[in-house]
Amino acid sequence: MRNRNRAVNVRVPINYSVMTILVIYIFIHSVLSIVDQLTRATTHLKVQPQVGCNGRHEFCTRKYSNITHIATHDAPFIGVLPMENQNVDVTTQLDAGIRFLQGQTHRNAFGKLSLCHTSCLMKDAGLLKDYLKIIKHWLDEHPQEVVSILLTNGDHLNITEFEEPFQQSGIVPYTYVPHADASHWTLDLWPTLGQLIANNTRLVTFVDYNANRSKIPYLLNEFSYFWETPYNTLDPAFAQCTLDRPAALKAKPASDVAVRQRMYIMNHFLDTKLLGMVVPNRRDATQTNAWRGKGSIGEQAERCSRMYGKAPAAVLVDYFDRGQVFKAQDGLNGFPT
């Protein structure tokens, strides 16, 4: 008996009401964000003067591990849509005084490493190679500045796939390579900013997964040097400072030497729910990025400092141009505010 091939029509149920509400909500959110941008357009970011090391003479003799940097979370993703975390481009971020940039990487449809938010279908901000070229050009023009980059390896790719965009960008000669074994690295082994500048190794690069110093020595394993507080926070009070990553340290007490001898990143970007999705909270960014007050950078940093005996090395924020992030940076580094 022969089997006949039947044409089968499969109907996929689509809830058009939900889709319509989602599109309208995103449209309204985007319009409100654009209005917010336009109403604040008169607030110009100041360009940080080139003084001392990273804008401070005092930093020239401070170890890299003893400085708090405001860091831009998802620095490459610029705009007013829910998947965009900053308002101005990376050059403007650097000009304003940001010295720590974080971004997500994924392999795009053509097999190239791109800066993509969650996936390259959702938001593709361009090739990693081109992003690094922009930073390299900025470093060329600012010889007294040290910049840090933290890249997430979202697809858990072999670390060797990062070598080509770094080499093609021309930025590798600026990268810092620690002289000691990472497994025995302690806070006091870090050089001062003055030493990094004198050696012209003014780019410190980290990657969260699959780092291998034997293959690419300048791409440092984030969790050999840092731990992080929780992210995707929905609580505007930021009423915690627990150790969230790496998993190997979560069960250790705050007094443990493995915790104390790492720097830490304080995730201080507030999210909200948009029809079940977690998106950046643009509306409350001014208070979230304040120096003092409920849910401010200063309040959470004080909580963390009491627990771990030191200030965070990096404070990750969205919409850094809202609030008082540089006042917070001064305060956490012991300068008058």
Side-chain angles (χ1 to χ4, degrees):
M1 182 183 292
R2 292 164 54 184
N3 293 325
R4 290 186 178 181
N5 294 324
R6 289 185 176 181
V8 179
N9 294 321
V10 178
R11 292 188 178 183
V12 179
I14 299 175
N15 191 325
Y16 289 102
S17 297
V18 172
M19 289 181 63
T20 302
I21 292 170
L22 178 61
V23 170
I24 292 173
Y25 194 102
I26 292 174
F27 175 76
I28 292 173
H29 182 277
S30 300
V31 169
L32 291 175
S33 297
I34 292 169
V35 171
D36 176 68
Q37 288 283 82
L38 292 174
T39 56
R40 298 171 187 266
T42 55
T43 304
H44 298 290
L45 289 168
K46 294 180 180 179
V47 175
Q48 179 177 282
Q50 292 190 62
V51 176
C53 303
N54 281 21
R56 290 278 185 179
H57 291 291
E58 296 90 340
F59 286 160
C60 294
T61 54
R62 273 204 206 180
K63 290 186 180 295
Y64 177 90
S65 55
N66 190 32
I67 297 171
T68 298
H69 291 100
I70 293 295
T72 41
H73 171 240
D74 283 338
F77 308 130
I78 314 303
V80 298
L81 296 177
M83 71 289 291
E84 294 163 335
N85 301 76
Q86 302 298 331
N87 292 320
V88 297
D89 61 42
V90 65
T91 299
T92 306
Q93 293 174 34
L94 291 167
D95 285 344
I98 294 296
R99 296 293 177 268
F100 198 117
L101 307 163
Q102 184 268 347
Q104 303 178 41
T105 65
H106 291 270
R107 188 189 282 150
N108 67 18
F110 303 99
K112 299 293 185 180
L113 265 181
S114 274
L115 293 151
C116 298
H117 197 302
T118 309
S119 102
C120 292
L121 295 176
M122 178 179 290
K123 173 71 178 182
D124 188 339
L127 295 175
L128 175 60
K129 171 190 68 176
D130 295 333
Y131 181 71
L132 294 172
K133 282 182 179 179
I134 294 170
I135 298 169
K136 191 263 183 187
H137 177 72
W138 193 90
L139 286 167
D140 291 342
E141 300 295 318
H142 299 81
Q144 294 298 113
E145 307 295 326
V146 176
V147 173
S148 301
I149 300 175
L150 169 58
L151 297 173
T152 66
N153 182 3
D155 297 328
H156 290 242
L157 302 175
N158 189 300
I159 199 64
T160 55
E161 295 202 30
F162 286 79
E163 185 170 19
E164 182 177 290
F166 268 84
Q167 292 289 351
Q168 289 178 343
S169 72
I171 206 169
V172 173
Y174 282 129
T175 56
Y176 171 69
V177 178
H179 60 80
D181 183 76
S183 62
H184 300 98
W185 197 257
T186 56
L187 295 174
D188 62 316
L189 289 176
W190 281 95
T192 65
L193 289 200
Q195 290 169 326
L196 290 170
I197 290 167
N199 294 327
N200 208 26
T201 51
R202 298 183 290 113
L203 182 71
V204 188
T205 55
F206 303 94
V207 64
D208 63 348
Y209 294 114
N210 292 351
N212 187 327
R213 290 186 60 199
S214 67
K215 295 180 179 178
I216 306 183
Y218 54 81
L219 277 179
L220 310 182
N221 180 357
E222 176 195 358
F223 298 119
S224 292
Y225 303 94
F226 292 99
W227 51 264
E228 289 192 22
T229 65
Y231 61 98
N232 285 352
T233 299
L234 300 174
D235 174 16
F238 289 91
Q240 48 71 28
C241 194
T242 55
L243 194 162
D244 185 58
R245 295 189 299 163
L249 293 183
K250 287 188 74 168
K252 294 185 180 295
S255 59
D256 189 273
V257 66
V259 176
R260 293 293 177 119
Q261 283 300 324
R262 283 173 171 84
M263 298 175 286
Y264 68 95
I265 295 171
M266 188 178 87
N267 287 309
H268 193 81
F269 48 93
L270 183 63
D271 290 327
T272 188
K273 287 286 187 73
L274 170 61
L275 295 179
M277 299 180 294
V278 176
V279 299
N281 186 328
R282 179 186 294 271
R283 184 192 63 186
D284 297 323
T286 299
Q287 179 55 37
T288 301
N289 293 345
W291 166 222
R292 293 297 187 192
K294 188 70 171 176
S296 65
I297 293 172
E299 184 181 60
Q300 188 185 16
E302 285 182 358
R303 182 178 296 111
C304 294
S305 296
R306 287 194 300 269
M307 291 178 65
Y308 303 103
K310 60 180 182 290
V315 179
L316 273 179
V317 301
D318 287 335
Y319 316 118
F320 85 97
D321 54 328
R322 304 290 184 257
Q324 303 166 308
V325 298
F326 294 119
K327 181 177 282 191
Q329 181 172 270
D330 285 344
L332 293 175
N333 283 303
F335 300 120
T337 58

